Amino acid sequence: MRSNGWWRTAAIYQIYLRSFADGNGDGVGDLAGLRARLPYLRELGVDALWLTPWNVSPMADGGYDVADYRDIDPLFGTLADAEGFLAEAHEQGLRVLVDLVPNHCSDAHPWFRAALAAPPGDPARERFWFRPGRGAGGELPPNDWRSYFGGPAWTRLPDGEWYLHMFAPQQPELNWEHEGVRAEFADVLRFWFDRGVDGFRIDVAHGLMKTPGLPDVGADPDPADLPYQDHEGVHEIYRAWRRIADGYADPRVFVGEVWLPTTAQFVRYLRPDELHSAFNFEFLCCAWEPNAIRKTIDDTLDTHRLVGAPPTWVLSNHDTIRHVTRYGREDTTFDLGNRRHGAFTDPALGTRRARAAALLTLALPGGVYVYQGDELGLAEVEDIPLERIQDPTWERSEHTDRGRDGCRVPLPWSGGEPPFGFSPPGAAQPWLPQPAGWSALTVEAQEPDASSMLRLYRQALAIRRERLTTLPEDIAWIAGDDGVLAFRRGDGFACVVNFTAAPARLPAHADVLLTSEPLRDGLLPADGSAWLAL
């Protein structure tokens, strides 16, 4: 039987905490700044918030290197501040998901410090992947695995052993075959659930278990059969976690970050006794092209129907090129391995397509994610001075990949110059520089403008909550002109997207609810979208 949980239709707003709002004036976003902006989020019309990591961390990878899973980093506030925020968010009618990083911890975590202090073979090292090297003197890594951030996935210690890190060296991989690791995270779940957290977004959800023996990848690996991801044993972990979540009177929720190459692999994480939902990266990476979009939508709905899970739709997040920039390029796809930094972008075209894409995603059945700044039409910041880049990808890639800082620049709230209300007067400069041109994109500038991106999102989210969340979890395509996609949900609502360069006719309708661009003589402009009452 299908669950009617809130997450099935929720609009969830992703908050990259360091860049949302600075309350104490140190140039970094924090819980005080977030709490002050809760009325804005309520007015925007979202149902829930997802916060990137707020735990104690040296910030070697923006908080995804956790040193204490049960406390808040002083950069953001205190545990009491977090509890106050949770209570206030709930009073505003907002659910809260937070990031959980179980694949790896920080090299400052007490477990890893104890492991470093222990000799090879000591039980303290069993919570991680310590191995002797290869070669006559152990001078070669234990296998050929490469870090996602570039370079080898192994670092050698002075005692001769190597330890595994699929990301930065400051992020040692946890050994999920160790019962102590499993018990620790079960307790961490309860710790935060008991404090009111409504669920977790699970970082690298596919990567926890490794193939026994840690075999080489080889020269020509099968992307669907890699030894460091999607191992069968990971599903046992999530079934155990699901039992914990379901044990609460108001069941808690898990959302997986699951980057996998095949549908067959992906869908197994969404079985009824595992994760509630997972991010739809196929849709995020898809080209702005009608046949590709239609196929991705159909594949997504077919896949999720197999296990009765709700689909999700997302256009950008804290790891990707913002879609305003992506959609203004000749190649509108996204590839983690090739971000195409510096490719020519038409900002007007990208913005127009982003407006159309907003209505498309918000019209689809299931849940939807809005990354902070999407609602303001922010573009990727591609000219951050090299000395200000903080993403470890920059160094690990030997300065060939500028990394993810461009989508993490602090939000503009008000005023005509940086920090645009992100920080209080007299504060330190923001941790990443803001473009001067963002003065036209502040919340303050967009609120009175009926044609702004912000007003479009507010209207769309209000209509979505009022009319669309109770509609069937399926769509029916409407036949029409080439290059124009139109679908119906139920008998009373339709969405139309014009991917062509010419105005397009709308299907028969009773009323126009909302358009991304004004109609011209009743026609939908190029790269425009419309919501219709039938």
Side-chain angles (χ1 to χ4, degrees):
M1 180 179 295
R2 191 184 97 185
S3 166
N4 62 352
W6 62 269
W7 62 88
R8 298 194 72 93
T9 59
I12 301 175
Y13 187 93
Q14 182 192 352
I15 291 172
Y16 190 74
L17 193 52
R18 291 198 298 172
S19 297
F20 186 71
D22 170 20
N24 66 6
D26 64 358
V28 180
D30 49 36
L31 286 168
L34 173 55
R35 289 182 71 174
R37 299 293 185 178
L38 283 174
Y40 166 81
L41 295 167
R42 179 68 273 167
E43 186 176 357
L44 181 61
V46 295
D47 305 298
L49 312 176
W50 155 35
L51 275 64
T52 51
W54 60 3
N55 302 112
V56 175
S57 169
M59 300 292 163
D61 182 27
Y64 286 91
D65 49 315
V66 178
D68 186 344
Y69 287 89
R70 294 180 182 80
D71 205 356
I72 301 299
D73 194 275
L75 194 65
F76 303 132
T78 66
L79 183 57
D81 291 333
E83 291 170 340
F85 156 71
L86 289 167
E88 190 169 345
H90 290 155
E91 289 171 3
Q92 295 274 354
L94 296 165
R95 307 263 187 169
V96 178
L97 310 178
V98 297
D99 249 308
L100 182 67
V101 188
N103 180 70
H104 49 263
C105 64
S106 166
D107 61 355
H109 192 285
W111 279 0
F112 195 70
R113 287 183 172 177
L116 292 182
D122 191 277
R125 293 195 170 186
E126 293 176 0
R127 297 187 184 96
F128 302 93
W129 296 102
F130 284 86
R131 292 291 185 272
R134 298 191 289 192
E139 70 280 5
L140 300 177
N143 63 27
D144 64 355
W145 297 3
R146 304 288 291 177
S147 163
Y148 292 113
F149 288 168
W154 295 90
T155 290
R156 196 180 192 190
L157 299 172
D159 61 26
E161 282 208 322
W162 299 71
Y163 70 89
L164 178 66
H165 52 85
M166 293 306 301
F167 294 87
Q170 298 91 340
Q171 296 167 288
E173 296 279 305
L174 288 161
N175 176 9
W176 275 86
E177 295 178 4
H178 193 285
E179 287 302 321
V181 172
R182 299 188 181 212
E184 168 71 0
F185 276 87
D187 190 71
V188 167
L189 294 179
R190 296 186 182 97
F191 178 90
W192 290 108
F193 286 159
D194 291 346
R195 280 161 178 76
V197 166
D198 297 289
F200 285 102
R201 175 264 192 186
I202 304 169
D203 186 59
V204 198
H206 54 284
L208 276 58
M209 297 293 289
K210 312 296 190 278
T211 299
L214 309 184
D216 282 344
V217 170
D220 187 24
D222 178 355
D225 186 25
L226 297 173
Y228 47 77
Q229 68 180 35
D230 193 42
H231 188 273
E232 177 62 28
V234 77
H235 298 286
E236 176 187 344
I237 295 168
Y238 295 137
R239 284 191 288 270
W241 287 13
R242 182 63 177 260
R243 290 192 292 271
I244 294 172
D246 288 348
Y248 285 78
D250 183 10
R252 306 308 199 243
V253 178
F254 294 120
V255 182
E257 181 197 31
V258 183
W259 288 90
L260 289 171
T262 72
T263 296
Q265 291 173 290
F266 174 83
V267 75
R268 299 175 71 217
Y269 291 76
L270 300 178
R271 289 175 291 193
D273 60 346
E274 294 192 38
L275 306 182
H276 298 78
S277 66
F279 292 118
N280 186 352
F281 293 116
E282 183 181 1
F283 185 77
L284 185 154
C285 296
C286 185
W288 183 254
E289 192 277 324
N291 293 334
I293 291 282
R294 177 167 176 166
K295 182 179 186 307
T296 299
I297 291 172
D298 283 340
D299 289 349
T300 295
L301 295 176
D302 290 345
T303 296
H304 288 76
R305 195 179 296 114
L306 293 173
V307 287
T312 65
W313 312 97
V314 59
L315 296 169
S316 292
N317 67 28
H318 66 295
D319 287 330
T320 65
I321 299 292
R322 283 191 178 273
H323 62 278
V324 164
T325 295
R326 206 166 66 240
Y327 286 161
R329 294 173 171 174
E330 182 178 0
D331 183 346
T332 55
T333 62
F334 175 73
D335 182 352
L336 271 175
N338 181 11
R339 300 169 188 273
R340 299 188 297 282
H341 293 291
F344 173 76
T345 295
D346 180 338
L349 176 63
T351 298
R352 190 163 64 249
R353 288 173 170 174
R355 292 174 64 91
L359 294 195
L360 170 62
T361 56
L362 292 170
L364 291 165
V368 66
Y369 286 80
V370 177
Y371 178 45
Q372 65 179 45
D374 286 357
E375 81 279 16
L376 301 179
L378 299 186
E380 187 83 1
V381 180
E382 299 192 274
D383 59 354
I384 296 173
L386 299 184
E387 67 274 11
R388 297 289 301 275
I389 293 177
Q390 300 197 27
D391 190 339
T393 302
W394 174 240
E395 296 295 337
R396 294 287 296 174
S397 68
E398 299 181 341
H399 300 170
T400 60
D401 186 343
R402 292 177 65 95
R404 302 157 294 176
D405 287 349
C407 66
R408 299 176 176 184
V409 174
L411 294 190
W413 292 94
S414 60
E417 60 185 23
F420 298 118
F422 170 72
S423 298
Q429 67 175 347
W431 71 281
L432 286 174
Q434 301 161 301
W438 276 9
S439 58
L441 298 177
T442 67
V443 173
E444 180 182 60
Q446 294 198 42
E447 280 186 325
D449 182 359
S451 66
S452 70
M453 187 77 83
L454 177 59
R455 292 283 291 273
L456 178 70
Y457 266 85
R458 284 181 177 171
Q459 293 175 68
L461 285 163
I463 295 171
R464 182 180 187 274
R465 174 178 287 180
E466 178 184 348
R467 303 181 67 132
L468 307 190
T469 55
T470 58
L471 294 178
E473 287 189 348
D474 211 338
I475 66 171
W477 294 104
I478 300 171
D481 298 336
D482 289 344
V484 178
L485 290 187
F487 62 85
R488 182 170 45 79
R489 290 188 60 195
D491 296 325
F493 173 82
C495 176
V496 184
V497 186
N498 180 12
F499 291 86
T500 74
R505 296 172 299 164
L506 295 174
H509 59 278
D511 192 18
V512 177
L513 300 175
L514 187 63
T515 62
S516 65
E517 303 289 336
L519 300 180
R520 299 171 187 170
D521 299 322
L523 300 178
L524 185 63
D527 289 305
S529 56
W531 285 2
L532 307 176
L534 302 180

